[in-house]
Amino acid sequence: MTNKLLEIENLKLNFNDYMGTVEVLDKISFSLNKNSWLGLVGESGCGKSVTAFTILRLLPESAEIKNGDILFKEANILAKTEKEMQKIRGKEISMIFQEPQSALDPSMRIGAHITETIRAHRKINRKEVKLQALDILEKVEISNPRYYLNRYPHELSGGMNQRVCIALALVNDPSLLIADEFTTSLDVTIQKRILELVLEIQKLNKMSVLFITHDLALAHECCDYIVVMYAGQIVEKGRADKVLSSPAHPYTKALLNSIPGISKDVKRLQSIDGVVPNLIKPPAGCRFHTRCKHKIPNICDKLFPKVRHLDDGHQAWCHLL
Amino acid sequence: MKNLIELQGIKKYFPINYRLFDRKKKWVKAVDGVDIRIEKREVFSLVGESGSGKTTLANLILGITQPTEGNIFFKGKEISMMKNKDLKEFHKSISVVFQDPFSSLNPRMTIMDILKEPIMENIGVIKNKDLKEYINILLNKTALREEHLFRYAHEFSGGQRQRIAITRAIAAKPEFIVLDEPTSGLDVSIQAQILNLLLDLKEKYESISFLFISHDMAVIRYVSTRIAVMYKGKIVELANNSDLFNNPLHPYTKHLLESVPNFKSINKKSGKIKSKEFNTFSNVNENKNICNYYFKCHYRDRECLNCTQELHFVGNNHYTACNKIGGNLFKSEEIIK
Amino acid sequence: MNKNLQFRINELKRTLNVIITTPLGIIGLLIVFILIISTIIAPLIAPYSPFEADFENSLESPNLNHLFGTDTLGRDIFSRVIYGSRYSLSAGLIVVSVAVIIGSIVGLVAGYPGGRKGAWLMRITDMFLAFPTFVLAIGLAANLGPSFVNSMIAISIVYWPKYARLVYGQALSIKENQYVKYAQVLRENNTRIRLRHIFPNSLAALLVQATLDFGDAILFFAALSFVGLGAQPPAPDWGAMVSTARNYINIAWWMAFFPGLAIFFVVLGFNLIGDSLRDALDPSLRRLKISKLTWLGKLGDHLLVKEK
């Protein structure tokens, strides 16, 4: 019995658009242990959300999985039928999104949301369902849950709506929770509380969390492991504290140097010149070479770097190492 | 005079109409008594979360809405008392950069048209040749190129669009630029570009002031000269940049600073006191004298049920509306050196 | 200036490109193209004058001399149908243009800055919409007197509220954009904001509706002519032709058939263009590789500017 809950191996994904074939994901491989928190970090367009949707098999029609395996609890997700996936979504694997307002149906009461989710996966009588709904609302620290059961989403604040979404995701006790930038639209004080809440619940339920974010500092607060993505590829991965304190890849380094902090000394922020490359004709070799200050001509733009194993599971893909 | 812009006792209340015949009118107090002085050559920042009133305050300064109460002074003269000529000068010297790079540029206008707009409105008609020269100078300042002029806004990335918005803002040679969350929708590496650009512009231009509005404490730390923290329509603390971060004197400021994720805390489990979230999403305040922050405050006591929430001067350009931090040392009106 | 012009031409090409890559769009364009051509070069392609009577050859079924046959007065129906395109095209053009202009002005004034006054203006506009369009048009045309011009006036009066509403709705959402706020900060006056910011951004929706309505307007005009209120005989207007052919359907089906067919195709053509225009201008629609479907589409790719 392995400790690995989720294993993604060599995933390659394309979108067939009217503009051309977009190579969204390339050689994505990482694994997520049980009872652990993994951060998928990168800037917009790097493919982190797409990875999550691929795990849940919620891709648009134009998507084409060219290659790769996704093993969840040692079973291949990519081989499952839609019916089997429907049993998994919301029960084994749950997801919470960035905007709670658009994740909730404005014409349904909160209680209806929760009961619908419960009944989609379990056969319980009405009374029991209501009790469970109240219970889960209390678990996400909504005081006076009876009152909120009958309210509509627009009557709640952003923070409370996000708590409801978390409740919906957790009500069927999933083994894997995918959190896609779920604190980005919240105020920073509320963000902290919600994050603490999910941390607690994760420890209690021994759940695994795949945390997608662009905020490296946030990832540091809660992740055990971290995977850094750029333009559809993984550039670095390893234990969170190690990667963030001694980054190996130029992109990770540059990213960390461009984040302002509230510490005592204020250094000039470094920006990364250029823009993210168009993935219809992605750059050959290492996709970061077009913006890298340390690029080695004829190597970085031709060959994709082999993995470099630094100590303790810390890996990076760079010719300079 | 030092002060470019001054606000005194500014209030903006929005009426809530529940029923057609309501005897008592209820108000949302978006901005509830704000005094600010912005000097030349400084970056004055407003920090606050949603509902704090910072965007409303920006709209009041820009003239998009009118205050319910209070006065706005420009170079010492009160706005409502100004003659037409002075009023025009006031409007010409203020510019703005908005948050959303996707809706702040008209999708039907070329970049050339977008940059021409403020020039034509504020400077007047210029000959084509001079116009071209001037625009080229502008483009240089913000690292844009001439070929960009004939494209449409949607062909650019978020960071480039924000750059265009900044170029537009400096086009009419303003003395004062309001920036309302200019980097909130941008990636971190692009945000660094834009922030550095702003700081460089501040150095290049001789007398320009910024009003920088954000909810991101780290960004504020990087760019500001002075900072005002807003909560529910009032300013709760006002200080120089380093003072605010090294010595916060209001419970809300402290709370904000503690909530910012950083790389130092090994915070996998913070055993802090958690207060349950209260369902307040409006500024309708029934009990008139209770402190706005009472329900979430860790420092509160009996006195806070009846608090004026006025800013006290505490020394070294530092003002706070609360005297609970630091114990009994800070009582109202006492000047500490 | 030259660059600017070149740039706008490119944009036109781009829009045209998309219409050409949809098979239905091509058909629509073709039909309308034929319509416009026949309007312009009518004298060159019509074998006879539309008014020339030839009693000896009256009520002839379609043959080599008269492709669509002749009517009761011996006039060549083919020539009459070709000349009739002039009436239909001009009717559609004038009606839609007038309605768009009036409607846009009302919609812009009501929509920006909006508020109570705007809402009231819209309520008045809604009153017009409450009338059944055809009844109103008949009433107006009858009152003004049956003629080509009067029927166009009547239809325009019936049509403008639709555009007012459309532009009003557009204005309401467009004015929330921050570029409008920016113009407000610059203290631009209302008219300038309407013309520079609000109207250009409503053009897309307006154009689609106008194109779709073109066919509708032609149909409407034909209907008015059918009841005797539009173009008056001996004008070779299609609706009028169908009307006079009513009594002869049993013995001379071609008198009603061909003008009716012309109306059908023209309306269809405009609807098809309108549909593909809507698809072309709708930024949220992401289409799969459609240019694979038609070889004409591939030709279009070569002839015109490619999307990046």
Side-chain angles (χ1 to χ4, degrees), chain A residues 42-45 141-143 147-148 154-160 163 184 186-194 196-197 199-200 203 214-224 240-241 244 251 254-276 291, chain B residues 48-52 54 157 159-160 163 184-197 199-200 215-223 231 241-242 245-246 252 255-281 293 296 298:
Chain A
E43 296 181 300
S44 54
E141 294 184 357
I142 293 183
S143 51
Y147 173 72
Y148 287 106
H154 68 263
E155 298 178 84
L156 275 65
S157 67
M160 303 212 82
R163 285 177 200 266
T184 311
L186 303 173
D187 286 333
V188 71
T189 48
I190 301 185
Q191 169 181 280
K192 174 163 199 252
R193 258 211 291 276
I194 303 256
E196 282 171 358
L197 176 70
L199 264 163
E200 258 187 47
K203 286 222 170 334
H214 63 273
D215 189 339
L216 287 174
L218 205 60
H220 180 267
E221 292 258 327
C222 50
C223 299
D224 303 310
D241 40 15
L244 293 173
Y251 175 63
L255 207 56
L256 283 166
N257 282 332
S258 64
I259 301 178
I262 56 172
S263 58
K264 301 233 164 165
D265 44 284
V266 185
K267 285 184 300 174
R268 172 118 176 148
L269 296 176
Q270 277 181 40
S271 55
I272 309 179
D273 287 332
V275 285
V276 183
R291 304 166 75 188
Chain B
E49 298 179 308
S50 52
S52 57
K54 52 193 202 295
S157 68
Q160 286 169 310
R163 230 194 265 269
S184 296
L186 304 175
D187 282 330
V188 168
S189 55
I190 311 286
Q191 171 177 271
Q193 275 181 23
I194 300 291
L195 293 178
N196 285 341
L197 172 63
L199 289 179
D200 289 340
H215 64 274
D216 188 335
M217 291 298 263
V219 169
I220 294 271
R221 172 98 176 105
Y222 187 62
V223 298
Y231 184 75
N241 191 340
S242 35
F245 286 89
N246 294 331
Y252 178 61
H255 189 193
L256 269 183
L257 289 172
E258 281 160 12
S259 308
V260 177
N262 56 60
F263 291 97
K264 298 218 173 118
S265 59
I266 311 180
N267 217 356
K268 298 296 165 70
K269 191 177 191 177
S270 74
K272 291 217 168 77
I273 318 159
K274 283 193 296 265
S275 45
K276 294 216 170 164
E277 184 167 321
F278 275 81
N279 181 23
T280 46
F281 43 87
Y293 192 56
K296 303 192 185 184
H298 294 160

Side-chain angles (χ1 to χ4, degrees), chain B residues 62-64 91 96 98-100 103-108 110 113 117-118 120-122 150 152 155 168, chain C residues 1 3-4 7-8 11 14 177-179 181-188 192 196-197 200-201 204 308:
Chain B
L62 289 170
I64 299 179
H91 290 146
V96 63
F98 286 114
Q99 167 178 359
D100 186 355
S103 82
S104 59
L105 304 176
N106 187 335
R108 292 247 147 241
T110 57
D113 296 329
E117 198 179 350
M120 289 196 308
E121 287 292 318
N122 282 341
F150 295 104
Y152 284 109
E155 302 183 44
R168 177 177 66 174
Chain C
M1 196 40 196
K3 266 193 211 169
N4 218 346
F7 178 60
R8 299 211 191 260
E11 188 178 298
R14 240 180 285 174
N177 281 307
Q178 290 182 338
Y179 57 83
K181 265 202 175 167
Y182 181 76
Q184 289 172 341
V185 172
L186 285 180
R187 297 290 186 289
E188 282 181 23
R192 198 168 277 185
R196 188 184 278 170
H197 296 289
N201 285 295
K308 261 178 278 189

Side-chain angles (χ1 to χ4, degrees), chain A residues 198-210:
Chain A
V198 179
L199 264 163
E200 258 187 47
I201 296 180
Q202 183 260 321
K203 286 222 170 334
L204 217 64
N205 295 0
K206 299 212 193 309
M207 186 173 64
S208 295
V209 177
L210 180 63

Side-chain angles (χ1 to χ4, degrees), chain B residues 193-239:
Chain B
Q193 275 181 23
I194 300 291
L195 293 178
N196 285 341
L197 172 63
L198 287 172
L199 289 179
D200 289 340
L201 283 176
K202 185 181 136 212
E203 294 307 308
K204 281 184 198 169
Y205 280 89
E206 284 183 351
S207 66
I208 201 170
S209 301
F210 292 118
L211 175 65
F212 194 94
I213 301 174
S214 180
H215 64 274
D216 188 335
M217 291 298 263
V219 169
I220 294 271
R221 172 98 176 105
Y222 187 62
V223 298
S224 320
T225 321
R226 280 192 304 147
I227 303 167
V229 182
M230 281 189 78
Y231 184 75
K232 294 236 170 107
K234 290 189 200 280
I235 295 188
V236 295
E237 191 163 355
L238 174 61

